[in-house]
Amino acid sequence: MVITVSLVVLFGLALFFLLRFKQVSPGSAFTAVMFGFFLASTGAAEPINRVAESLIQAATNL
């Protein structure tokens, strides 16, 4: 749970700065957020979470 919240904050900050520096339009940002929201409710959410946890675990062991 802590990892998920941290990743949400990280990606939220990245999206905020992309919008701030006009690298992404508001419409593109909305599309990205909605894609993530709907992807989280599919069967792909669990494998994506496992991959993210594995990558974080590998990074901490470096």
Coordinates of all heavy atoms in Angstrom, one line a residue:
M1 N 0.8 -1.2 0.0 CA 0.0 0.0 0.0 C 0.9 1.3 0.0 O 0.6 2.2 -0.7 CB -0.9 0.0 1.2 CG -1.8 1.1 1.3 SD -3.0 1.2 0.0 CE -3.9 2.6 0.4
V2 N 1.9 1.2 0.8 CA 2.8 2.4 0.9 C 3.5 2.7 -0.5 O 3.6 3.8 -0.9 CB 3.8 2.2 2.0 CG1 4.8 3.4 2.0 CG2 3.2 2.1 3.3
I3 N 3.9 1.6 -1.2 CA 4.5 1.7 -2.5 C 3.5 2.3 -3.5 O 3.9 3.2 -4.2 CB 5.0 0.4 -3.0 CG1 6.2 0.0 -2.1 CG2 5.5 0.5 -4.4 CD1 6.7 -1.4 -2.3
T4 N 2.3 1.9 -3.4 CA 1.3 2.4 -4.4 C 1.0 3.9 -4.2 O 1.0 4.6 -5.2 CB 0.0 1.6 -4.2 OG1 0.3 0.2 -4.4 CG2 -1.0 2.0 -5.2
V5 N 0.9 4.3 -2.9 CA 0.7 5.7 -2.7 C 1.9 6.5 -3.1 O 1.7 7.6 -3.7 CB 0.4 5.9 -1.2 CG1 0.3 7.4 -0.8 CG2 -0.9 5.2 -0.8
S6 N 3.1 6.0 -2.9 CA 4.3 6.7 -3.3 C 4.4 6.9 -4.8 O 4.8 7.9 -5.3 CB 5.5 6.0 -2.8 OG 5.5 5.9 -1.4
L7 N 4.0 5.8 -5.5 CA 4.0 5.9 -7.0 C 3.0 6.8 -7.5 O 3.2 7.6 -8.4 CB 3.9 4.5 -7.6 CG 5.0 3.5 -7.4 CD1 4.7 2.2 -8.0 CD2 6.2 4.1 -8.2
V8 N 1.8 6.9 -6.8 CA 0.8 7.8 -7.3 C 1.3 9.2 -7.1 O 1.1 10.1 -7.9 CB -0.5 7.5 -6.5 CG1 -1.5 8.7 -6.7 CG2 -1.1 6.2 -6.9
V9 N 1.9 9.5 -6.0 CA 2.4 10.8 -5.7 C 3.5 11.2 -6.7 O 3.6 12.3 -7.3 CB 3.0 10.9 -4.3 CG1 3.7 12.2 -4.0 CG2 1.8 10.8 -3.3
L10 N 4.4 10.2 -7.0 CA 5.5 10.4 -7.9 C 5.0 10.7 -9.3 O 5.4 11.7 -10.0 CB 6.4 9.2 -8.0 CG 7.6 9.3 -9.0 CD1 8.6 10.3 -8.5 CD2 8.2 7.9 -9.1
F11 N 4.0 9.9 -9.8 CA 3.5 10.1 -11.1 C 2.6 11.4 -11.2 O 2.5 12.1 -12.2 CB 2.7 8.9 -11.6 CG 3.5 7.8 -12.0 CD1 3.4 6.5 -11.4 CD2 4.5 7.9 -13.0 CE1 4.2 5.5 -11.8 CE2 5.3 6.9 -13.4 CZ 5.2 5.7 -12.8
G12 N 1.9 11.7 -10.1 CA 1.2 12.9 -10.0 C 2.1 14.2 -10.1 O 1.7 15.1 -10.8
L13 N 3.2 14.1 -9.4 CA 4.1 15.3 -9.5 C 4.7 15.4 -10.9 O 4.9 16.5 -11.4 CB 5.3 15.1 -8.5 CG 5.0 15.4 -7.1 CD1 6.1 15.1 -6.1 CD2 4.7 16.9 -7.0
A14 N 5.0 14.2 -11.5 CA 5.6 14.3 -12.9 C 4.5 14.9 -13.8 O 4.9 15.7 -14.7 CB 5.9 12.9 -13.3
L15 N 3.3 14.5 -13.7 CA 2.2 15.0 -14.5 C 2.0 16.5 -14.3 O 1.9 17.3 -15.2 CB 0.9 14.3 -14.3 CG -0.2 14.6 -15.2 CD1 0.2 14.4 -16.7 CD2 -1.4 13.7 -14.9
F16 N 2.1 16.9 -13.0 CA 2.0 18.4 -12.7 C 3.1 19.2 -13.4 O 2.8 20.2 -14.0 CB 2.1 18.5 -11.1 CG 2.2 20.0 -10.7 CD1 1.1 20.8 -10.7 CD2 3.4 20.5 -10.4 CE1 1.2 22.1 -10.4 CE2 3.6 21.8 -10.0 CZ 2.5 22.7 -10.0
F17 N 4.3 18.7 -13.3 CA 5.4 19.5 -13.9 C 5.4 19.5 -15.4 O 5.7 20.4 -16.1 CB 6.8 19.0 -13.4 CG 7.1 19.5 -12.0 CD1 7.1 18.6 -10.9 CD2 7.3 20.8 -11.8 CE1 7.4 19.1 -9.7 CE2 7.5 21.3 -10.5 CZ 7.6 20.4 -9.4
L18 N 4.9 18.4 -16.0 CA 4.7 18.3 -17.4 C 3.7 19.4 -17.9 O 3.8 20.0 -18.9 CB 4.3 16.9 -17.9 CG 5.4 15.9 -17.9 CD1 4.9 14.5 -18.2 CD2 6.5 16.2 -18.9
L19 N 2.6 19.5 -17.1 CA 1.6 20.5 -17.4 C 2.1 21.9 -17.2 O 1.9 22.8 -18.0 CB 0.3 20.2 -16.5 CG -0.6 19.1 -16.9 CD1 -1.6 18.8 -15.8 CD2 -1.3 19.4 -18.2
R20 N 2.8 22.0 -16.1 CA 3.4 23.4 -15.7 C 4.3 23.9 -16.8 O 4.3 25.1 -17.1 CB 4.1 23.3 -14.4 CG 4.8 24.5 -14.0 CD 4.0 25.1 -12.8 NE 4.8 26.2 -12.3 CZ 4.5 27.4 -12.3 NH1 3.3 27.8 -12.8 NH2 5.2 28.4 -11.7
F21 N 5.2 23.0 -17.4 CA 6.1 23.5 -18.4 C 5.6 23.3 -19.8 O 6.3 23.3 -20.8 CB 7.4 22.8 -18.2 CG 8.1 23.1 -16.9 CD1 8.3 22.2 -15.9 CD2 8.5 24.4 -16.6 CE1 8.9 22.5 -14.7 CE2 9.0 24.8 -15.4 CZ 9.3 23.8 -14.4
K22 N 4.3 23.0 -19.9 CA 3.6 22.9 -21.2 C 4.2 21.9 -22.1 O 4.2 22.0 -23.3 CB 3.5 24.3 -21.9 CG 2.8 25.3 -21.0 CD 2.4 26.5 -21.8 CE 1.8 27.6 -21.0 NZ 0.8 27.4 -20.1
Q23 N 4.6 20.8 -21.5 CA 5.0 19.6 -22.3 C 3.9 18.7 -22.6 O 4.0 17.9 -23.5 CB 6.1 18.8 -21.5 CG 7.4 19.6 -21.2 CD 8.1 20.0 -22.5 OE1 8.2 19.2 -23.4 NE2 8.6 21.2 -22.5
V24 N 2.8 18.8 -21.9 CA 1.6 18.0 -22.1 C 0.4 19.0 -22.0 O 0.3 19.9 -21.2 CB 1.4 17.0 -21.0 CG1 0.1 16.2 -21.1 CG2 2.6 16.0 -21.1
S25 N -0.5 18.8 -22.9 CA -1.7 19.6 -22.9 C -2.7 19.1 -21.8 O -2.6 17.9 -21.4 CB -2.4 19.6 -24.3 OG -3.0 18.4 -24.5
P26 N -3.6 19.9 -21.3 CA -4.6 19.5 -20.3 C -5.4 18.3 -20.9 O -5.7 17.4 -20.1 CB -5.5 20.7 -20.1 CG -4.6 21.8 -20.4 CD -3.7 21.4 -21.5
G27 N -5.7 18.3 -22.1 CA -6.5 17.1 -22.7 C -5.7 15.8 -22.6 O -6.2 14.8 -22.3
S28 N -4.4 15.9 -22.9 CA -3.5 14.7 -22.9 C -3.4 14.2 -21.4 O -3.4 13.0 -21.2 CB -2.2 15.0 -23.5 OG -2.3 15.4 -24.8
A29 N -3.3 15.2 -20.5 CA -3.1 14.8 -19.1 C -4.4 14.1 -18.6 O -4.3 13.1 -17.9 CB -2.9 16.1 -18.3
F30 N -5.6 14.7 -19.0 CA -6.8 14.0 -18.6 C -6.9 12.6 -19.2 O -7.3 11.7 -18.5 CB -8.0 14.9 -19.1 CG -9.3 14.3 -18.8 CD1 -9.8 14.3 -17.5 CD2 -10.1 13.7 -19.8 CE1 -11.1 13.8 -17.2 CE2 -11.3 13.1 -19.5 CZ -11.8 13.1 -18.2
T31 N -6.5 12.5 -20.4 CA -6.5 11.1 -21.0 C -5.6 10.2 -20.3 O -6.0 9.0 -20.1 CB -6.1 11.2 -22.5 OG1 -7.0 12.1 -23.2 CG2 -6.1 9.9 -23.2
A32 N -4.4 10.6 -19.9 CA -3.5 9.8 -19.2 C -4.0 9.4 -17.8 O -3.9 8.2 -17.4 CB -2.2 10.5 -19.0
V33 N -4.7 10.3 -17.1 CA -5.2 10.0 -15.8 C -6.4 9.1 -15.9 O -6.5 8.1 -15.2 CB -5.7 11.3 -15.1 CG1 -6.5 11.0 -13.9 CG2 -4.5 12.2 -14.8
M34 N -7.3 9.3 -16.9 CA -8.4 8.4 -17.1 C -8.0 7.0 -17.5 O -8.5 6.0 -17.1 CB -9.4 9.0 -18.1 CG -10.1 10.2 -17.6 SD -10.8 10.1 -15.9 CE -12.1 8.9 -16.2
F35 N -6.9 6.9 -18.4 CA -6.4 5.6 -18.7 C -5.9 4.9 -17.5 O -6.2 3.7 -17.3 CB -5.3 5.8 -19.8 CG -4.6 4.5 -20.1 CD1 -5.2 3.5 -20.9 CD2 -3.3 4.2 -19.6 CE1 -4.6 2.4 -21.2 CE2 -2.7 3.0 -19.9 CZ -3.3 2.1 -20.7
G36 N -5.1 5.5 -16.7 CA -4.6 4.9 -15.4 C -5.8 4.5 -14.5 O -5.7 3.4 -13.9
F37 N -6.8 5.3 -14.4 CA -7.9 5.0 -13.5 C -8.6 3.8 -14.0 O -8.9 2.9 -13.2 CB -8.9 6.2 -13.5 CG -10.1 6.0 -12.7 CD1 -10.1 6.1 -11.3 CD2 -11.3 5.7 -13.3 CE1 -11.2 5.9 -10.6 CE2 -12.4 5.5 -12.6 CZ -12.4 5.6 -11.2
F38 N -8.9 3.7 -15.3 CA -9.6 2.5 -15.8 C -8.8 1.3 -15.9 O -9.2 0.2 -15.7 CB -10.3 2.9 -17.2 CG -11.5 3.8 -17.0 CD1 -11.4 5.0 -17.6 CD2 -12.6 3.4 -16.4 CE1 -12.5 5.9 -17.5 CE2 -13.7 4.2 -16.2 CZ -13.6 5.5 -16.8
L39 N -7.5 1.5 -16.1 CA -6.5 0.3 -16.1 C -6.5 -0.3 -14.8 O -6.4 -1.5 -14.6 CB -5.2 0.8 -16.6 CG -4.1 -0.3 -16.7 CD1 -4.5 -1.3 -17.8 CD2 -2.7 0.3 -17.0
A40 N -6.6 0.5 -13.7 CA -6.5 0.0 -12.3 C -7.7 -0.9 -12.0 O -7.6 -1.8 -11.1 CB -6.5 1.1 -11.3
S41 N -8.8 -0.8 -12.7 CA -10.0 -1.6 -12.5 C -10.0 -2.9 -13.4 O -11.0 -3.6 -13.3 CB -11.2 -0.8 -12.6 OG -11.4 -0.4 -14.0
T42 N -9.0 -3.1 -14.1 CA -9.0 -4.3 -15.0 C -8.1 -5.4 -14.4 O -7.5 -5.2 -13.3 CB -8.4 -4.0 -16.4 OG1 -7.0 -3.7 -16.2 CG2 -9.1 -2.8 -17.1
G43 N -8.1 -6.5 -15.0 CA -7.3 -7.6 -14.6 C -5.8 -7.4 -14.7 O -5.0 -8.1 -14.2
A44 N -5.4 -6.4 -15.4 CA -4.0 -6.0 -15.6 C -3.4 -5.3 -14.4 O -2.2 -5.2 -14.3 CB -3.8 -5.1 -16.9
A45 N -4.2 -4.9 -13.5 CA -3.8 -4.1 -12.3 C -2.8 -4.9 -11.5 O -1.8 -4.4 -11.0 CB -4.9 -3.6 -11.5
E46 N -3.2 -6.2 -11.2 CA -2.4 -7.0 -10.3 C -1.0 -7.3 -10.9 O 0.0 -7.1 -10.2 CB -3.1 -8.3 -9.9 CG -2.4 -9.1 -8.9 CD -2.2 -8.4 -7.6 OE1 -3.1 -7.6 -7.2 OE2 -1.2 -8.7 -6.9
P47 N -0.9 -7.7 -12.1 CA 0.5 -7.9 -12.7 C 1.3 -6.7 -12.7 O 2.5 -6.7 -12.5 CB 0.2 -8.5 -14.1 CG -1.2 -9.0 -14.0 CD -1.9 -8.2 -13.0
I48 N 0.7 -5.5 -13.0 CA 1.4 -4.3 -13.1 C 1.9 -3.9 -11.7 O 3.1 -3.5 -11.5 CB 0.5 -3.1 -13.6 CG1 0.2 -3.4 -15.1 CG2 1.1 -1.8 -13.4 CD1 -0.8 -2.5 -15.7
N49 N 1.1 -4.1 -10.7 CA 1.6 -3.9 -9.3 C 2.7 -4.8 -8.9 O 3.7 -4.4 -8.2 CB 0.4 -4.1 -8.3 CG -0.6 -2.9 -8.3 OD1 -0.2 -1.8 -8.7 ND2 -1.8 -3.2 -7.9
R50 N 2.6 -6.1 -9.3 CA 3.7 -7.0 -9.0 C 5.0 -6.6 -9.7 O 6.1 -6.7 -9.1 CB 3.3 -8.5 -9.4 CG 2.5 -9.1 -8.3 CD 2.3 -10.6 -8.6 NE 1.0 -10.8 -9.0 CZ 0.6 -11.4 -10.1 NH1 1.4 -12.0 -10.9 NH2 -0.7 -11.5 -10.4
V51 N 5.0 -6.2 -10.9 CA 6.2 -5.7 -11.6 C 6.7 -4.5 -11.0 O 8.0 -4.4 -10.8 CB 5.8 -5.5 -13.1 CG1 7.0 -4.8 -13.8 CG2 5.5 -6.8 -13.9
A52 N 5.9 -3.6 -10.6 CA 6.4 -2.4 -9.9 C 7.0 -2.7 -8.6 O 8.1 -2.2 -8.3 CB 5.2 -1.4 -9.7
E53 N 6.4 -3.6 -7.8 CA 7.0 -4.0 -6.6 C 8.3 -4.7 -6.8 O 9.3 -4.5 -6.0 CB 6.1 -4.9 -5.8 CG 4.9 -4.2 -5.2 CD 3.9 -5.1 -4.6 OE1 4.1 -6.3 -4.4 OE2 2.8 -4.6 -4.2
S54 N 8.4 -5.5 -7.8 CA 9.7 -6.2 -8.1 C 10.8 -5.2 -8.5 O 11.9 -5.4 -8.1 CB 9.5 -7.2 -9.2 OG 8.6 -8.2 -8.9
L55 N 10.4 -4.2 -9.3 CA 11.4 -3.2 -9.7 C 11.9 -2.4 -8.5 O 13.1 -2.1 -8.4 CB 10.8 -2.3 -10.8 CG 10.6 -3.0 -12.1 CD1 9.9 -2.0 -13.1 CD2 11.9 -3.4 -12.8
I56 N 11.0 -2.1 -7.6 CA 11.3 -1.3 -6.4 C 12.2 -2.2 -5.5 O 13.2 -1.7 -5.0 CB 10.1 -0.8 -5.7 CG1 9.4 0.3 -6.6 CG2 10.4 -0.3 -4.3 CD1 8.0 0.6 -6.1
Q57 N 11.9 -3.4 -5.4 CA 12.7 -4.3 -4.5 C 14.1 -4.5 -5.1 O 15.1 -4.5 -4.4 CB 12.0 -5.7 -4.4 CG 12.7 -6.6 -3.5 CD 12.6 -6.2 -2.0 OE1 11.7 -5.4 -1.7 NE2 13.4 -6.7 -1.2
A58 N 14.2 -4.6 -6.4 CA 15.5 -4.7 -7.1 C 16.3 -3.4 -6.9 O 17.5 -3.5 -6.7 CB 15.3 -5.0 -8.6
A59 N 15.6 -2.3 -7.0 CA 16.4 -1.0 -6.9 C 16.9 -0.8 -5.4 O 18.0 -0.3 -5.3 CB 15.4 0.1 -7.2
T60 N 16.1 -1.3 -4.5 CA 16.6 -1.2 -3.1 C 17.8 -2.1 -2.8 O 18.5 -1.9 -1.8 CB 15.5 -1.4 -2.1 OG1 14.9 -2.7 -2.2 CG2 14.4 -0.4 -2.2
N61 N 17.9 -3.2 -3.5 CA 19.0 -4.2 -3.3 C 20.3 -3.8 -4.1 O 21.2 -4.6 -4.0 CB 18.5 -5.6 -3.7 CG 17.5 -6.1 -2.7 OD1 17.5 -5.7 -1.6 ND2 16.6 -6.9 -3.2
L62 N 20.3 -2.7 -4.8 CA 21.5 -2.4 -5.6 C 22.5 -1.8 -4.7 O 22.5 -1.3 -3.7 CB 21.1 -1.3 -6.6 CG 20.3 -1.8 -7.8 CD1 20.0 -0.7 -8.8 CD2 21.1 -2.9 -8.5

